[in-house]
Amino acid sequence: MKAITYTEYGSPDVLQLREIAKPSPKDNEILIRIRATRVNYGDMLARKFGSVTTKEFNMPGLLLLPARMEFGIRKPKKNILGSEFSGEIEAIGKEVKRFKVGDAVFGYRGSTFGAYAEYMCMPESGLVTHKPANMSFEEATLIPYGALTAYSHFKKVNIQPGQKVLVNGASGGIGSAGVQLAKYFGAEVTGVCGTAKLNFVQALGADKVIDYNKEDFTKNGEMYDLIYDILGKSSFENCQGSLTSTGVLLYASFKVKQLMQMMQTSKSTGKKVICVLSSENLADFNFIKELVEGGKFKTVIDKQFSLEETAEAHRYYESGKNTGNVVISVG
Ligand SMILES: NC(=O)c1ccc[n+]([C@@H]2O[C@H](COP(=O)([O-])OP(=O)(O)OC[C@H]3O[C@@H](n4cnc5c(N)ncnc54)[C@H](OP(=O)(O)O)[C@@H]3O)[C@@H](O)[C@H]2O)c1
C-alpha cells in the first residue's frame, strides 16, 4: 500500500511517499481503507518535533521531555503521521462487534497517528465511530480533533445559555469547534483570529469577529463570562477587566505561570484561570457525531490535496494562507 512516511524530523520535504506492507487486523481490530485525512497542528508539530523549543512548545517545558521520549528524541519513532481519518472498513478481526465490513467510519488517533496511508488498523474500542451520513469523507475527517478537544475543555466550565464567550484563536482546529459548540450551548460568541479568516469564523456562526491584528479584545470594553484562549496568547492580568465577576479564562495552551494562577484562583468565588488538558472518550465522540447529524456542526474545506501531495499540504498549512481546513483525499 501507499503511505506517507518520515524517518527524520524537519520541513515538509521529510514526508515521502513509500510502498509499504498492508496491515492486517488482529482479533480485536478493524482494517480501515482510509478515504480522507488532514493536516492539523499535531501533525505539523510531530513532523518537526526534534527542533521544537520550549518556547514553541505551548505547554510547560517540563512536559517537553516526556513528549520527546514518546515521539523519539533524535528521529521519529512513529513513521506515519495523520491523527484524523475517515474511511471504510475493509476487514474485521473475529472479536469485533461494533462494526462490519463496508461500514463508513471516522475517528481520531491522537499521538498514535498512522492515517497518512491507504490502510490502517486500530482496535474497535478506539476513538472510531460511524461516519455521519450528511458529510462527505473529506468533511468528516475535519471533525474529531477540534471537536473532541474543545468539548472536553468546555466540560470544565459548564457554559450556560445567554453567556458571553470569546474564543481567542477561533479559526484554528480547536477554536473553530469551540465557536460552534459554544453557539450550541446557547452562548453569544465572539471569535478572534487574523484578517484572512474573519469570514470563515463568521460562517461558523460567531456573532462577532475580532481581527487580532487590528483590535485588542481586552481593551474594547466588552465583558465575557468565558475567554477560551487556544494558543495562550492572552494574560490573566490583561483579561481581568474583560471578565465578568465570576468569569473564567480557560487556557488550552499554558505554561507554569498560568498553572500557578490556576492554583491561586481555584478557591476564589471570583474570576478564575483554568488550564485544561483534553481527555477524549467514545461517548463524547458519539455526542459530537449526533451534533453533526443534527446539522449543528459544520466544516469548511479550504483546499484539498491527494495523498501524494501531503508534503505540499503541510507546506500550505504551515504558510498560514489557508482560510479553512486542509484536507488530504486518499485514493
Ligand atoms: N490542552 C489541550 O488539551 C490541547 C490539546 C491539543 C492541542 N492543544 C494546544 O492547542 C494549540 C493548537 O491549537 P489549534 O490546533 O487550534 O491550532 P491552529 O489550528 O494552528 O489555530 C491557531 C489559532 O490561533 C490563532 N492565532 C494566531 N496568532 C494569534 C494571536 N496573536 N492572537 C490570537 N489568536 C492567534 C490563529 O488565527 P489565524 O490563523 O487567523 O492567524 C488560529 O485561529 C497548541 O498550542 C497545542 O499545544 C492543547
Side-chain angles (χ1 to χ4, degrees):
M1 70 165 186
K2 286 182 191 148
I4 297 294
T5 65
Y6 80 130
T7 52
E8 55 181 321
Y9 294 120
S11 75
D13 295 333
V14 298
L15 301 171
Q16 300 281 329
L17 182 71
R18 292 222 165 82
E19 198 66 38
I20 62 167
K22 182 177 166 182
S24 36
K26 297 187 186 119
D27 290 352
N28 65 337
E29 287 186 338
I30 52 178
L31 171 67
I32 302 162
R33 164 86 172 89
I34 307 281
R35 295 286 301 273
T37 177
R38 78 185 286 196
V39 188
N40 67 26
Y41 182 86
D43 300 313
M44 183 194 68
L45 192 74
R47 194 201 72 226
K48 55 184 189 184
F49 206 65
S51 62
V52 168
T53 61
T54 42
K55 188 161 183 276
E56 286 169 306
F57 188 60
N58 291 337
M59 289 289 172
L62 280 174
L63 295 181
L64 190 55
L65 183 62
R68 278 203 203 289
M69 308 274 277
E70 187 192 347
F71 286 119
I73 293 179
R74 289 208 173 79
K75 53 186 186 162
K77 283 186 188 166
K78 299 162 195 167
N79 299 113
I80 303 178
L81 292 173
S83 58
E84 290 167 277
F85 65 89
S86 61
E88 283 156 326
I89 296 193
E90 184 163 297
I92 58 172
K94 62 182 183 211
E95 290 166 10
V96 169
K97 300 212 164 46
R98 284 174 60 213
F99 301 104
K100 60 181 188 325
V101 170
D103 282 357
V105 293
F106 74 137
Y108 185 49
R109 300 270 293 175
S111 58
T112 310
F113 298 109
Y116 288 178
E118 287 183 312
Y119 294 92
M120 180 184 75
C121 284
M122 70 183 285
E124 71 159 338
S125 58
L127 282 170
V128 53
T129 195
H130 292 94
K131 180 181 82 63
N134 56 343
M135 276 198 171
S136 66
F137 286 105
E138 281 74 17
E139 288 168 323
T141 198
L142 300 170
I143 299 279
Y145 156 69
L148 282 166
T149 306
Y151 184 55
S152 93
H153 292 176
F154 282 171
K155 280 176 152 182
K156 306 276 179 202
V157 287
N158 192 18
I159 298 171
Q160 296 297 312
Q163 284 192 329
K164 287 179 74 175
V165 172
L166 178 136
V167 180
N168 194 27
S171 57
I174 302 173
S176 58
V179 167
Q180 298 186 78
L181 285 170
K183 283 301 295 177
Y184 170 75
F185 291 127
E188 183 188 319
V189 181
T190 301
V192 181
C193 61
T195 318
K197 297 177 191 167
L198 293 169
N199 289 340
F200 167 63
V201 174
Q202 210 145 28
L204 295 176
D207 299 284
K208 287 183 195 165
V209 284
I210 293 177
D211 181 347
Y212 62 72
N213 297 301
K214 297 192 177 141
E215 186 179 329
D216 179 347
F217 73 85
T218 66
K219 294 195 176 128
N220 65 10
E222 294 286 337
M223 303 293 281
Y224 302 99
D225 299 287
L226 173 68
I227 295 175
Y228 182 35
D229 190 338
I230 311 300
L231 292 185
K233 294 279 182 191
S234 67
S235 70
F236 188 42
E237 292 79 4
N238 290 347
C239 286
Q240 285 204 50
S242 308
L243 285 170
T244 58
S245 58
T246 54
V248 173
L249 174 53
L250 180 69
Y251 281 117
S253 303
F254 48 86
K255 295 282 187 184
V256 173
K257 180 182 171 191
Q258 287 78 30
L259 283 172
M260 301 293 285
Q261 288 172 328
M262 177 164 83
M263 281 162 66
Q264 283 156 7
T265 59
S266 64
K267 293 201 171 64
S268 123
T269 51
K271 307 177 190 198
K272 277 191 177 53
V273 171
I274 299 182
C275 304
V276 67
L277 286 175
S278 60
S279 53
E280 307 90 7
N281 62 56
L282 196 54
D284 288 356
F285 194 26
N286 280 319
F287 169 74
I288 303 282
K289 183 197 143 192
E290 279 166 28
L291 289 191
V292 173
E293 285 172 337
K296 306 283 183 211
F297 211 97
K298 59 183 164 191
T299 56
V300 179
I301 297 173
D302 173 86
K303 204 163 176 180
Q304 197 165 312
F305 293 83
S306 66
L307 184 66
E308 290 77 3
E309 295 169 325
T310 299
E312 197 47 47
H314 267 243
R315 214 167 277 121
Y316 181 63
Y317 175 86
E318 215 167 347
S319 74
K321 287 183 189 146
N322 58 307
T323 51
N325 297 293
V326 180
V327 166
I328 298 168
S329 202
V330 185

